[in-house]
Amino acid sequence: MTSEPHVGLTGLATMGANLARNLAHHAIPVAVHNRTFSRTEKFIADYGSEGPLSAYESTADWVSALSRPRLLISMVQAGAPTDAVIEEIIPHLDPGDILIDGGNANFRDTQRRHRSVAQHGVHFLGAGVSGGEEGALNGPSIMPGGDRDPYERAVRPVFEAIAAQVDGTPCCTYVGPDGAGHYVKMVHNGIEYADMQLIAESYDLLRHGAGLEVPEIAACFEQWNQSELESFLIEISARVLAKTDEASGQPLVDVILDAAEQKGTGRWTAQNALELGVPLTGITEAVFARTLSALKSERVAAAGRLAGPAPGTSRGDETLVDDLGHALYASKIVSYAQGFAQMAAASQAEGWGLDLGAMATIWRGGCIIRARFLDRIREAYGADPALANLMLAEFFAQALERAQDPWRRVVAKAAEMGIPAPAFSSSLAYYDGYRRARGPASLIQGLRDLFGAHTYRRIDREGAFHISWSGDGAENEI
Ligand code: 6PG
């Protein structure tokens, strides 16, 4: 590498700033830029001594300082700000330069940008970057998509240097063409939503079902983190639950407003699943649970009006505590199974050729959903890349079999106690629906035929059929 800045990074909010520092820590010379120059100046004042970082005020100076072909990373907010940055940069670039969007873009936007940027001979990559601010600084999981050749030639060594490593393998791999990287990041975030919803439901049931105090629940999560449930989100759940609010002396979780926010990636995942026709119940319930939580004032009013079962505490209900660990693990398997099925369907629809085992591999470290069992997912797709559903892999089929009784007890108890557990129950319903060789949809088809002559297919012969419901009642092949 020359001593000229090798990478240009624009957008010095937390993720961008930390990614620039991560690059510099790996001795990769970075030219930084931000829309407001004061932020760039502050960044250099705070971190300029950490490595080869240089600052530029104007876009023209920043771009022309870079070695060729140029490698530029945009770390600005998804949506209009990303379009604005691209529009600003493009006139300064030459054919062969590489522009990377490292934000949480919608993959359809990335596909559009990929097409429009290509008209200038510039390569556009959409890279999902996961791991929050800590990951960006010390090693994120990176999901790059777009043109493969420039990626392999110029981007791969840079990304592999700064990504998290697990067993010597970087948590970064080329994902696929155009929007594939941002798509995979979107599904990652959808799974993140489902994981967090399952954790929240577990906390709720431990507290209001088993009657545990918050510090006891923190200890329970800590214990779970020593088991097959070991994951970053379980680990940090213990930390959040153990935190006391300095002002009130209460557990922090008791003073945080119970209305979950979202920036949109979970909703996009659910919307895309609806478009693809993939049953993505866990993630979708998690999105709806956030939107229901946000109806705070309506919920407060309804609490005084709508009846539930008579309150009772089952303090010391050890069965529920034990059962919850199993229910959490089984439901987690289901949400990953659904997310991976969605990626398989999208890969087929978009012609991306996604390697699902490789996606599990790069999610083992750095990202928010990193978890011990991702190694098992990697093995499952390694053994059978065309696996129809993760639940069918021997390891997971057995795990679900072991967990199913406690899982059912948790869902039943939650319903009895009036404690909402949408992610637990929808995951169990998916499991039961998926393992059902014959279900009740035949009746739906019959109804559709009666009221709308929509026809039905038979189990015993090919063709579409319709009953003359208002006539002689005979079946006709259409
Ligand atoms: C990550 C996170 C990151 C961000 C989410 C939060 O992988 O590092 O997913 O991208 O924390 O976008 O999303 P919500 O604000 O929608 O919860």
Side-chain angles (χ1 to χ4, degrees), residues 221-232:
F221 274 93
E222 237 170 65
Q223 217 180 319
W224 282 345
N225 202 40
Q226 312 301 316
S227 73
E228 60 204 3
L229 283 166
E230 183 189 333
S231 60
F232 173 67

Side-chain angles (χ1 to χ4, degrees), residues 202-268:
S202 303
Y203 151 74
D204 202 11
L205 285 158
L206 287 169
R207 189 156 190 192
H208 301 110
L212 300 193
E213 300 293 341
V214 177
E216 294 173 309
I217 302 173
C220 183
F221 274 93
E222 237 170 65
Q223 217 180 319
W224 282 345
N225 202 40
Q226 312 301 316
S227 73
E228 60 204 3
L229 283 166
E230 183 189 333
S231 60
F232 173 67
L233 284 168
I234 295 281
E235 178 197 324
I236 64 169
S237 297
R239 283 179 55 198
V240 172
L241 288 164
K243 177 84 182 147
T244 302
D245 172 47
E246 281 175 15
S248 63
Q250 292 184 61
L252 177 70
V253 75
D254 283 350
V255 298
I256 297 180
L257 183 72
D258 54 334
E261 296 173 15
Q262 51 182 318
K263 294 195 201 73
T265 44
R267 186 176 65 243
W268 295 343

Side-chain angles (χ1 to χ4, degrees), residues 104 129-132 185 188-189 192-193 261-265 290 368:
N104 264 336
V129 179
S130 177
K185 174 60 166 60
H188 164 285
N189 280 27
E192 174 185 301
Y193 275 51
E261 296 173 15
Q262 51 182 318
K263 294 195 201 73
T265 44
R290 287 199 192 187
I368 303 296

